[in-house]
Amino acid sequence: MSARTGVLTEGRELRIVGFLCNWCSYGGADTAGVARFEQPTDLRIIRVPCSGRIDPLFIMRALVSGADGVLVSGCHPRDCHYAEGNYYARRRLELLKQFLPITGIDPQRFEYTWVSASEGARWQDVVTKFTNRIHDLGPAPRMQGGSGYDELCLKQIEEGVKQGAACPCHKERAL
Amino acid sequence: MSTLEQLKEQIRKALPDLDVVIGWEQGYDAMHATPLFIREEADIDRLIWSPLCVHSLGTYLTGLTKSSKVQKVGLVVKGCDSRAIVQLTQERMIPRENVTLFGVGCSGCLSHARLEYKVEQGGHYVEDMHAITFNGDKVEVAVDGGVESFDFDTVCLEKCLTCRFPNAIATEHFAGEEVPVAPKREKAPSLEAFEKLPLDERFAFWQDQMRRCVRCYACRNTCPMCVCRDHCISTSRNPHWVSQEASTAENFMFQMIHTMHLAGRCIECGECQRACPVDLPIMLFRRTMVHAVKDTFNYVSGADPEATPPLLTFKAEEDNINERGW
Amino acid sequence: MRIGVFVCHCGSNIAATVDCPSVAEAAKLFPDVVFATDTMYACSEPGQDGIIQAIKEHRLDGCVVASCSPRMHEPTFRRALERAGLNRYMLEMANIREHVSWIGKNKELNTGKATELVRIAAEKLRLNTPLFANQFDVTKRVLVIGGGVAGIQAALDCADAGIQVIMVERETSIGGKMAKLDKTFPTVDCSSCILGPKMVDVAQHPNITLYAASEVEEISGYVGNFDVKVRRKATYVNWASCTGCGLCMEKCPSKKSHDAFNEGVATTTAINIPFPQAIPKKAAINPEFCMKLQKGKCGVCAKVCPTKCIDFEQQDTIVSEKVGAIVAATGYDLFDWTVYGQYGAGRYPDVVTSLQYERMMNASGPTSGHIQRPSDGREPKRVVFIQCVGSRDKSVNRPYCSGFCCMYTAKQAVLTKDHIPDSDSYVFYMDIRSPGKGYDEFTRRAQEQYGVQYVRGRVSMVYPKGDVLVVRGADTLAGTQVEVEADLVVLAVGVEASKGAAHLAEKLRISYDQYGFFMESHPKLKPVETNTAGVYLAGCSQGPKDIPTSVGQGSAAAAKVLTLFAKDKLESDPQVSSVNQNRCVGCLKCTMTCPFGAIKDVKDRAGNTKAEVIETVCQGCGICTVTCPHGAIQLQHFTDNQILAEVNALCQPELEF
Ligand SMILES: Cc1cc2nc3c(=O)[nH]c(=O)nc-3n(C[C@H](O)[C@H](O)[C@H](O)COP(=O)(O)OP(=O)(O)OC[C@H]3O[C@@H](n4cnc5c(N)ncnc54)[C@H](O)[C@@H]3O)c2cc1C
Ligand code: SF4
Ligand code: SF4
Ligand code: SF4
Ligand code: SF4
Ligand code: SF4
């Protein structure tokens, strides 16, 4: 029925997960709705009380499980309903952002930003730009397969042996 | 007096007030050292100190000091090991007053993995190595009746190449001379090499590597900073972050949890990777996080007992985080 | 669990671009969903009745309402659930109006999205548990810290409403800065004539206990139940018997004591009552200057005191008070103007601060209201005022405007003319900021009626020439350099938070900015609240403001206190964090990041440290939950597992429907 994860055909949706704080950004998304600011439909929003509630591992979990993009939005610095939540969030999320490239996951697939409850137009802009960005990147690669010597692995070993390479388990030994 | 003799002397003096002192002794063969638990004076004779003493003994600490009767524990620490203690102190994870540190200066430890690789490359069997001597910049290994000599830099632990803390810090005792701080590299060569790969190749690399993880949790259990023990969220149901499904994605998720939980805490001891039975290069993750923390918060973990770890505090105006415009 | 799903059409608001019946149809296949329907207006009477009926009929344990934003109608549907006998937290909402139907036109995509949002909500609901609010008692007493005009106002309003007030003032008299002022803008009425009666009211009010010469030592507890320790500093005078007769002052031989009340314009005696209208009117010894306390010789005051209340052995004492709310009204202090070396501040005696000038003009001040040059006592004929000294100046890290300096400078220039009719006044200013009732008219009057010369520009330096001072600056309007010879230079010194404000904020567990001003909960909508429940702000402690605004805030803070005390019991929101003591290792990292001090450390039976959330203080942000690596502290209603269920509902590939 709806567009499926990871399958890109013309006009199909990609899987984009949003984590929004209740007080500012969720309100901002509401404001955008009230103003009928049209946006791409891919984004699915998960509401949390505060950006300080957003564990970077939620984002990691989403990306590992098949999200093509994750967008986080909270109150602007100094405006946190809980005074300090977004300050902690900023530190945690920034580290995640800087860490992502080493995993091979494109850091462009994750973004965090600040949108207040009144900034409906800004929210529209953020969603549109982010969704377009994810579509430009296309579906995210997925970690596949089971653990250990599953079929995929055996196939690779077979190929490796054919080409005269050693068992893949030892090839990085000297790193 | 040699460093070892001084160390023994210090331990001898302190032992009556301590329940146990943990150091190293000769292991099951000439090539290995292993942790030594000194409970009586006679045990002290078995203590050794050499580049074979790779183990970060701090990892025993959270278990020991939390045990029912509070113990007074002594610990022999190299520079990197001492950082673990400092960081644990910062986080109030150990009752520091019950811990006595015997510090040494360290000129680098042996990487068994690198050495074995070299020995194998030379056409020998690893099992045939029967003696090792550390001779300044050289390492000499007796193998197959002959002697193979290597530059120490080519067979030391990778962390030793970038080490900025060769001397134990914040210790009660210190044995021997201080070793000059002289990092040979800015960044770990493996990380430097890996960072040259484009994103898709990196992803493919991890796809390939993570499949091999046997989820033994050795990396976690050996990590001196992993203090949760029975309560690690990677193996709990509430919260339930990782499914027990044996899949590449879940193995990878576990590594992400470990890395994120070590953000601003990891002291780059490299024990996690050394412990991995299937040799996964997981220090690439840890080191990247360490660099991110340093670049963003100018914070080095385990360097200052008074410092607040970066994720437990914030600045209203961050120095190095640029708010991204839209 | 038995879940019911209600998909609202909202007339055509949703139904125009979302196929509601098919969303409901799809929802029937979700785990634990036993009933799903679409409904025209879920929030209307019949809509709510429909939900209630379905709950009863299908023995539902929880409901998903897919409709408008939860920020709109969550309370409505929670009440409906309660009416049906369910716990209010067994509701989840899917926002398919603001987040779906109103922002996209493609009905197919919208319908798919709406279905997934319902799916997320249902998955979360499966992990919801009933939550119950706790009730607790309120101690209906209030602590007011700081006895300036703002604190006085707050105290009197509360006391008049029948509330017991504890007022703690650091100095030996209340009154704050206003007590030092001569006249007040824009009406130019006598400051002590309007403040004096209020001070007396404080002293005489049966509901007010005043601790002067005291400071807050320690605060624990939480809204409704604070425990406060007050340090009453040694004054070396037994205040219970001191009558304020002032004989001691007359006889005290140490006459060169620093006179803080007069801003150092004159000196006073070691034992003194700061000013005649002081409240309480009690003498206190300044130990730094007392010969008996310093050298062991003298004791004249003890001999002359008719009630024998001098006690050189007196020690600080600590008193404990229980209160339910706290008003912080600690006001401001002047910026350290001596950093402006180029103005000769602190070096040339004839360069004085605005507050010193107030004392020099004040009829009850050391010069009995005669304006004299500190250097030679001569009456100045030309007075130059320099504005923004320590305000709006990034180079001294004071980028903000101190708010009232423009106004009081105009006032002081006007008063100078009144005192010395043949004098000239010059004001160097950056902008004239006079927004307020009658304020702009006042500054204009100063210029037009009193002939005060306003020069727009910064002063670059002040230097002595003979027995006058030369003020050199730019006139940016004329585009020239100007030099004015002055007999007296008055610096309109900017204000900063009162000394020790940051320290007090830590005790109160409220935030403060980099200048020490206390942070309000919301800059617009909660200007006197703080993020710590039960702690309110008044006056300049929150930022520079003039007397009318300070008084207004004092009353506002009192209103907040009274609102809080209007209930006999407070109810705590159950959406708070809670610690799984089995998992908690007692590292107390969570206590470091909680902005509200809502987590305390306790010992379990085995003596191990554990964290415990004070439910009444916790605001439910969940910062702690992310801090704890073991997942030991979980925010109820937003637990890790609940959010993970939502993520998994979205991101697992097997979720084809
Ligand atoms: C030169 C000058 C002239 C002015 N003229 C005018 C004017 O004409 N009209 C006008 O509207 N405004 C005028 N103002 C502004 C006016 O002074 C303030 O608006 C007003 O005083 C603010 O009152 P407050 O109660 O907030 O603070 P304050 O008057 O500063 O009172 C704070 C009180 O708290 C006490 N305190 C501080 N810290 C502690 C602590 N830790 N524990 C216990 N007690 C503590 C202090 O001792 C003080 O008594 C003038 C200001 C200046 C500098
Ligand atoms: S993550 Fe690895 S390198 Fe970091 S502290 Fe733990 S064991 Fe050491
Ligand atoms: S990975 Fe995290 S939860 Fe697990 S033991 Fe380490 S710090 Fe604790
Ligand atoms: S030690 Fe290696 S195999 Fe074991 S869990 Fe860690 S990464 Fe996986
Ligand atoms: S709840 Fe977590 S962070 Fe808090 S003290 Fe317990 S283990 Fe530490
Ligand atoms: S949720 Fe946690 S951090 Fe937030 S107020 Fe409650 S206890 Fe403090």
Side-chain angles (χ1 to χ4, degrees):
Chain A
M1 180 173 82
S2 78
R4 291 309 330 135
T5 320
V7 188
L8 184 78
T9 27
E10 269 311 297
R12 278 288 172 90
E13 287 182 330
L14 291 178
R15 176 56 72 226
I16 304 179
V17 182
F19 293 94
L20 271 63
C21 79
N22 179 50
W23 301 98
C24 293
S25 295
Y26 197 92
D30 283 357
T31 306
V34 171
R36 310 296 198 276
F37 290 148
E38 205 174 332
Q39 298 154 43
T41 50
D42 311 46
L43 178 73
R44 308 283 183 266
I45 293 172
I46 294 175
R47 181 169 71 123
V48 290
C50 172
S51 53
R53 175 66 191 92
I54 302 168
D55 196 317
L57 286 168
F58 287 136
I59 297 148
M60 222 47 238
R61 183 70 266 184
L63 289 170
V64 171
S65 301
D68 300 307
V70 178
L71 177 64
V72 168
S73 188
C75 307
H76 288 275
R78 293 187 189 285
D79 287 351
C80 175
H81 180 80
Y82 303 100
E84 299 174 350
N86 50 4
Y87 292 136
Y88 287 106
R90 184 168 58 184
R91 289 203 151 196
R92 297 162 176 164
L93 299 171
E94 180 64 24
L95 283 186
L96 177 71
K97 182 99 185 153
Q98 294 188 28
F99 171 74
L100 273 180
I102 201 73
T103 65
I105 298 173
D106 197 323
Q108 295 287 316
R109 293 190 184 276
F110 159 60
E111 199 57 84
Y112 67 93
T113 185
W114 319 121
V115 173
S116 77
S118 61
E119 294 175 319
R122 180 178 158 91
W123 177 249
Q124 177 192 35
D125 193 41
V126 166
V127 175
T128 310
K129 282 195 182 138
F130 188 71
T131 308
N132 288 343
R133 184 204 280 181
I134 299 303
H135 277 273
D136 289 346
L137 291 169
R142 299 280 306 273
M143 285 269 168
Q144 283 159 2
S147 201
Y149 291 88
D150 64 354
E151 267 171 53
L152 191 77
C153 180
L154 288 172
K155 215 161 61 201
Q156 279 189 0
I157 293 178
E158 211 173 287
E159 256 165 47
V161 171
K162 249 188 258 159
Q163 290 164 11
C167 147
C169 311
H170 286 84
K171 70 181 178 204
E172 293 79 22
R173 258 256 169 101
L175 208 68
Chain B
M1 228 191 316
S2 74
T3 302
L4 180 62
E5 286 315 313
Q6 259 189 45
L7 191 59
K8 285 182 174 171
E9 201 41 49
Q10 288 166 351
I11 295 177
R12 208 181 309 277
K13 281 212 190 104
L15 192 58
D17 298 324
L18 300 170
D19 294 306
V20 62
V21 175
I22 313 176
W24 302 272
E25 65 179 321
Q26 195 59 49
Y28 60 91
D29 68 6
M31 307 301 298
H32 290 86
T34 196
L36 163 70
F37 291 74
I38 302 171
R39 293 186 188 276
E40 311 169 0
E41 193 157 344
D43 301 334
I44 298 179
D45 294 337
R46 281 155 47 206
L47 187 74
I48 63 164
W49 163 238
S50 80
L52 294 178
C53 302
V54 289
H55 324 85
S56 180
L57 303 172
T59 197
Y60 288 115
L61 213 50
T62 38
L64 273 175
T65 51
K66 282 249 160 73
S67 76
S68 54
K69 67 173 180 52
V70 180
Q71 298 197 39
K72 299 256 180 209
V73 183
L75 212 61
V76 185
V77 286
K78 311 183 284 289
C80 50
D81 306 343
S82 67
R83 286 175 64 194
I85 315 301
V86 170
Q87 181 70 24
L88 288 170
T89 312
Q90 281 171 263
E91 298 179 17
R92 294 178 286 195
M93 292 308 311
I94 50 166
R96 183 63 180 84
E97 64 281 5
N98 292 332
V99 179
T100 305
L101 295 184
F102 300 90
V104 288
C106 164
S107 321
C109 280
L110 179 73
S111 162
H112 291 80
R114 288 170 95 200
L115 178 68
E116 286 170 8
Y117 178 79
K118 292 228 168 230
V119 168
E120 277 175 357
Q121 294 261 299
H124 305 287
Y125 285 106
V126 166
E127 291 73 14
D128 291 336
M129 295 191 283
H130 52 82
I132 184 163
T133 27
F134 299 96
N135 210 341
D137 292 347
K138 296 281 175 212
V139 180
E140 280 145 21
V141 182
V143 57
D144 282 345
V147 171
E148 291 271 359
S149 172
F150 307 103
D151 282 345
F152 184 69
D153 287 354
T154 63
V155 292
C156 69
L157 290 169
E158 199 178 12
K159 67 172 172 184
C160 306
L161 296 175
T162 55
C163 179
R164 289 180 182 280
F165 293 84
N167 301 301
I169 55 173
T171 60
E172 280 71 24
H173 306 276
F174 192 90
E177 299 281 306
E178 288 211 350
V179 173
V181 181
K184 301 202 173 62
R185 303 286 285 256
E186 268 303 306
K187 209 177 214 180
S190 61
L191 181 59
E192 238 166 31
F194 190 77
E195 282 178 340
K196 295 209 173 80
L197 298 181
L199 286 173
D200 56 340
E201 282 181 38
R202 296 182 195 184
F203 193 82
F205 175 82
W206 291 118
Q207 161 79 52
D208 184 34
Q209 293 290 324
M210 281 301 131
R211 177 175 51 235
R212 279 170 254 258
C213 167
V214 293
R215 222 81 85 74
C216 63
Y217 301 110
C219 48
R220 176 194 74 191
N221 294 350
T222 196
C223 173
M225 300 312 303
C226 265
V227 290
C228 314
R229 305 289 156 182
D230 301 342
H231 300 308
C232 174
I233 62 161
S234 310
T235 41
S236 69
R237 300 219 113 244
N238 187 7
H240 194 201
W241 282 89
V242 189
S243 86
Q244 296 319 108
E245 181 198 6
S247 74
T248 308
E250 296 307 278
N251 295 348
F252 177 69
M253 187 63 203
F254 164 56
Q255 283 304 317
M256 294 303 101
I257 290 179
H258 194 182
T259 310
M260 290 311 294
H261 278 185
L262 268 294
R265 309 177 60 229
C266 171
I267 42 90
E268 278 180 286
C269 64
E271 289 290 272
C272 48
Q273 178 165 330
R274 200 179 59 81
C276 179
V278 290
D279 289 318
L280 302 183
I282 52 181
M283 277 304 286
L284 289 173
F285 293 144
R286 317 296 189 270
R287 287 205 170 98
T288 303
M289 189 54 94
V290 166
H291 283 295
V293 167
K294 175 86 177 47
D295 294 347
T296 317
F297 307 120
N298 197 18
Y299 176 84
V300 176
S301 44
D304 173 5
E306 302 298 317
T308 308
L311 292 185
L312 299 181
T313 180
F314 64 83
K315 283 184 177 173
E317 310 280 345
E318 295 286 358
D319 301 326
N320 300 316
I321 303 181
N322 297 318
E323 312 293 344
R324 292 178 181 79
W326 278 86
Chain C
M1 181 180 273
R2 297 174 64 81
I3 293 175
V5 175
F6 304 86
V7 184
C8 179
H9 290 231
C10 195
S12 65
N13 275 310
I14 295 171
T17 59
V18 174
D19 182 351
C20 297
S22 88
V23 173
E25 208 49 43
K28 284 182 181 154
L29 302 175
F30 297 160
D32 287 350
V33 172
V34 296
F35 174 79
T37 185
D38 53 309
T39 155
M40 193 43 90
Y41 286 105
C43 60
S44 68
E45 270 308 309
Q48 292 190 44
D49 288 345
I51 294 174
I52 293 169
Q53 215 180 338
I55 291 174
K56 295 193 170 142
E57 210 165 290
H58 300 276
R59 290 178 289 114
L60 302 179
D61 304 311
C63 297
V64 173
V65 178
S67 58
C68 50
S69 171
R71 284 165 53 98
M72 177 101 185
H73 271 316
E74 197 171 55
T76 314
F77 295 121
R78 280 182 169 174
R79 278 195 298 272
L81 257 68
E82 273 175 339
R83 274 188 281 145
L86 291 186
N87 183 276
R88 53 194 313 206
Y89 294 97
M90 298 310 285
L91 168 81
E92 282 301 322
M93 289 184 71
N95 184 347
I96 62 169
R97 192 178 74 179
E98 283 84 345
H99 292 189
V100 181
S101 71
W102 278 351
I103 58 165
K105 294 204 176 82
N106 183 323
K107 195 160 183 172
E108 192 198 333
L109 290 178
N110 278 359
T111 306
K113 182 174 178 183
T115 310
E116 287 194 13
L117 292 183
V118 171
R119 165 89 192 200
I120 307 180
E123 285 295 337
K124 168 155 190 263
L125 178 58
R126 293 174 74 200
L127 296 174
N128 281 16
T129 47
L131 301 175
F132 302 94
N134 272 340
Q135 291 205 330
F136 59 97
D137 293 325
V138 191
T139 310
K140 294 190 182 176
R141 306 175 83 222
V142 60
L143 168 72
V144 176
I145 309 172
V149 67
I152 290 175
Q153 186 67 33
L156 287 175
D157 284 355
C158 288
D160 285 345
I163 304 292
Q164 291 287 326
V165 180
I166 315 295
M167 176 176 270
V168 173
E169 165 59 52
R170 182 159 61 187
E171 305 300 327
T172 56
S173 169
I174 59 170
K177 303 293 178 302
M178 191 177 165
K180 304 186 181 195
L181 306 182
D182 177 24
K183 307 262 170 19
T184 57
F185 62 73
T187 46
V188 202
D189 46 354
C190 154
S191 187
S192 62
C193 310
I194 50 178
L195 182 65
K198 279 188 182 290
M199 291 168 60
V200 173
D201 284 350
V202 169
Q204 292 178 346
H205 208 297
N207 287 343
I208 300 181
T209 310
L210 172 61
Y211 295 122
S214 299
E215 274 185 79
V216 170
E217 178 82 4
E218 196 185 303
I219 299 174
S220 57
Y222 48 86
V223 57
N225 296 283
F226 292 105
D227 290 304
V228 184
K229 289 204 168 68
V230 178
R231 174 179 293 271
R232 308 199 62 186
K233 290 177 283 188
T235 56
Y236 308 100
V237 177
N238 181 353
W239 277 11
S241 33
C242 172
T243 59
C245 66
L247 261 174
C248 50
M249 273 179 89
E250 279 170 29
K251 296 285 185 290
C252 175
S254 171
K255 302 214 185 291
K256 292 259 174 265
S257 303
H258 176 69
D259 189 350
F261 183 78
N262 282 318
E263 296 285 319
V265 171
T267 56
T268 182
T269 43
I271 186 165
N272 69 72
I273 300 168
F275 56 107
Q277 302 84 357
I279 296 286
K281 197 173 181 192
K282 307 282 177 191
I285 294 179
N286 180 345
E288 253 181 80
F289 294 92
C290 170
M291 288 162 22
K292 176 79 179 169
L293 288 168
Q294 289 295 334
K295 303 195 186 103
K297 289 200 279 269
C298 183
V300 170
C301 50
K303 281 178 213 128
V304 301
C305 175
T307 56
K308 297 285 163 252
C309 51
I310 312 294
D311 174 6
F312 293 111
E313 306 292 312
Q314 201 179 62
Q315 300 285 325
D316 291 5
T317 52
I318 305 279
V319 287
S320 298
E321 294 283 356
K322 268 186 148 334
V323 297
I326 299 173
V327 176
T330 49
Y332 66 95
D333 273 315
L334 292 190
F335 173 74
D336 175 14
W337 64 92
T338 55
V339 305
Y340 284 92
Q342 67 272 37
Y343 296 169
R347 277 184 294 140
Y348 310 141
D350 294 336
V351 178
V352 300
T353 71
S354 49
L355 219 42
Q356 288 174 329
Y357 197 57
E358 291 282 344
R359 293 312 298 154
M360 290 162 65
M361 292 190 300
N362 197 308
S364 64
T367 55
S368 305
H370 299 299
I371 301 175
Q372 297 168 351
R373 303 200 332 155
S375 59
D376 53 12
R378 189 159 67 74
E379 191 176 70
K381 293 294 175 214
R382 187 177 284 166
V383 182
V384 171
F385 297 88
I386 305 176
Q387 287 195 185
C388 295
V389 179
S391 298
R392 304 177 65 193
D393 190 349
K394 277 208 185 114
S395 68
V396 296
N397 191 28
R398 287 296 178 276
Y400 57 87
C401 168
S402 292
F404 45 64
C405 316
C406 286
M407 286 305 297
Y408 72 61
T409 301
K411 171 190 76 176
Q412 292 179 341
V414 165
L415 290 173
T416 305
K417 194 80 179 170
D418 281 347
H419 278 78
I420 315 166
D422 60 342
S423 67
D424 296 327
S425 291
Y426 288 80
V427 176
F428 282 88
Y429 72 105
M430 286 168 67
D431 297 291
I432 301 177
R433 301 198 160 170
S434 51
K437 218 172 174 177
Y439 284 17
D440 208 51
E441 296 90 316
F442 184 79
T443 52
R444 279 189 189 287
R445 230 179 28 248
Q447 297 172 56
E448 288 158 11
Q449 213 171 311
Y450 288 82
V452 180
Q453 305 265 353
Y454 271 72
V455 184
R456 185 162 198 246
R458 273 232 185 249
V459 170
S460 54
M461 72 185 300
V462 177
Y463 60 93
K465 186 173 139 197
D467 75 341
V468 298
L469 293 159
V470 181
V471 180
R472 177 190 292 166
D475 182 340
T476 52
L477 292 182
T480 54
Q481 284 284 324
V482 282
E483 282 195 358
V484 184
E485 287 189 1
D487 297 320
L488 188 68
V489 174
V490 181
L491 305 181
V493 179
V495 303
E496 59 186 21
S498 69
K499 303 233 156 19
H503 199 56
L504 180 66
E506 300 276 355
K507 289 183 189 166
L508 288 164
R509 283 196 296 256
I510 58 177
S511 319
Y512 51 95
D513 68 15
Q514 52 182 313
Y515 313 107
F517 291 118
F518 301 150
M519 293 281 281
E520 65 283 4
S521 190
H522 190 283
K524 288 136 235 168
L525 300 177
K526 292 183 173 179
V528 296
E529 290 98 320
T530 65
N531 280 317
T532 300
V535 178
Y536 306 100
L537 306 176
C540 292
S541 61
Q542 180 258 359
K545 51 182 70 65
D546 58 15
I547 295 166
T549 317
S550 299
V551 172
Q553 260 202 346
S555 287
K560 289 289 162 194
V561 172
L562 297 177
T563 314
L564 181 73
F565 289 174
K567 300 187 201 85
D568 291 323
K569 286 195 183 283
L570 294 182
E571 220 176 60
S572 60
D573 185 341
Q575 285 186 71
V576 293
S577 277
S578 122
V579 179
N580 175 345
Q581 304 253 324
N582 288 331
R583 294 186 75 83
C584 173
V585 300
C587 62
L588 303 182
K589 287 180 187 143
C590 50
T591 59
M592 292 179 73
T593 57
C594 174
F596 305 98
I599 308 168
K600 60 179 179 189
D601 54 328
V602 293
K603 293 261 186 266
D604 69 1
R605 269 198 231 127
N608 298 315
T609 303
K610 300 281 169 179
E612 191 178 285
V613 175
I614 311 164
E615 282 178 31
T616 43
V617 182
C618 173
Q619 307 280 310
C621 60
I623 296 172
C624 56
T625 309
V626 185
T627 304
C628 177
H630 333 273
I633 185 166
Q634 292 285 336
L635 176 60
Q636 300 307 297
H637 213 59
F638 291 96
T639 62
D640 282 345
N641 276 1
Q642 285 172 317
I643 298 173
L644 283 167
E646 294 179 87
V647 173
N648 291 340
L650 280 176
C651 293
Q652 265 170 20
E654 56 278 270
L655 296 181
E656 303 285 341
F657 21 79

